[in-house]
Amino acid sequence: MLCEAGEQINPAIVLAEELMRKDLRGTMDFADIERAENTLIAARTEIERVERQLNQIIKTQPQPGRLIPPGF
Amino acid sequence: MPFDERLHQAIEYLAFKSANADAVRACASVEKIVSEQKKFQYFRQFFPEEWNKSRSSFFKRGYYHNYSERLNEFFSLVNEKMFPLLAGWDDPETEFEYFYIFSLNIDLCCEDIEYENLRVSYAAGLLFLFRDDEIWEYFESNYQIKREDFPEINESAHDNLWHLEKTGKVEAYLNLFELVDHSTGNPWLDTVNCRDNACFDWTEDNIRFLAESYREAAALLDQTAGIDELFAENPRAVLLDLISLWNDVKLP
């Protein structure tokens, strides 16, 4: 599951960095605000997905592997 | 941008930067920015002249510490020109992301009511909805009018009372009944502070609605104040009017 997961930085981190570097003295209009709110929804969805996956991993019973990696 | 403003911006950025590797905290940062930006837009929209003239900081914290000086200015403008947003909120730590409004009406639930401190019209209205012998005692000692001189007030209003056309004196009397009953339909008058507090967030509709309903509430309170003047001239006649309207939906 982890190997198949897409690699990306959570969009909120990217957006927060971008916004904090901008001169934001009242320059965002309502369209920008709406885009940011949509990004927030996507970011929260990703956080929930990761938390769900983590819970599933924790719940999964340990299984004996078919191969023993060298060194063990 | 002046040095002072850049300095406050840098401090804001550093506090953010030290925590932004965490997606949950980044969400909170974006949420805060979005919320601020929305309020800036409302500032520009509702107070364009003040916005253009304003020199208050976008970063330096204002009296309400959770907000910049610029947003504090916006809150003050809303409070002065639209509705009493800040009334009752003196604590500098107060948050206004969701805000409560305080009722302009008397809280019959929890307040200790001294009839002497009420407007006389309100005390008269209470005769119908808050049956307390002390109200008659108040009228007797202050206006020399006795309960025995008036028809008995029915337990509940005539069925048609609330359907009467609101004109002239009848309108003022009906508004008084609704005001005392907390059933005007106006959040500034119907809310009871100890429960069912009206909570709002920052949307254009809410701002307009609260400003408009506050104007209407103030007008309704002014109108019922007019009954005080009638009462001062002829208390007996006003009480008879009210009882007659309540019992029989007509003026004597």
Side-chain angles (χ1 to χ4, degrees), chain A residues 17 24 26 28 37 44, chain B residues 13 17 31 37 41 44:
Chain A
E17 178 70 33
L24 274 179
M28 278 175 84
E37 284 178 328
R44 290 212 180 89
Chain B
Y13 178 73
K17 188 69 183 166
E31 201 170 45
Q37 293 293 321
Q41 285 302 321
R44 295 168 85 144

Side-chain angles (χ1 to χ4, degrees), chain A residues 10 12-13 15-17 19-30 33 36-37 40 43-44 47, chain B residues 1 9 12-13 16-17 20-21 23-24 26-27 30-31 33-34 37-38 40-42 44-45 51 58:
Chain A
N10 183 287
I13 295 177
L15 180 63
E17 178 70 33
L19 292 177
M20 288 301 286
R21 283 176 165 279
K22 266 187 182 171
D23 179 7
L24 274 179
R25 292 178 295 165
T27 50
M28 278 175 84
D29 60 20
F30 283 115
I33 289 169
E37 284 178 328
L40 263 182
R44 290 212 180 89
I47 291 169
Chain B
M1 202 191 310
Q9 185 179 18
E12 192 94 333
Y13 178 73
F16 152 78
K17 188 69 183 166
N20 195 41
V24 175
C27 280
V30 173
E31 201 170 45
I33 294 168
V34 165
Q37 293 293 321
K38 255 188 195 172
F40 289 149
Q41 285 302 321
Y42 292 134
R44 295 168 85 144
Q45 184 178 345
W51 173 269
F58 287 89

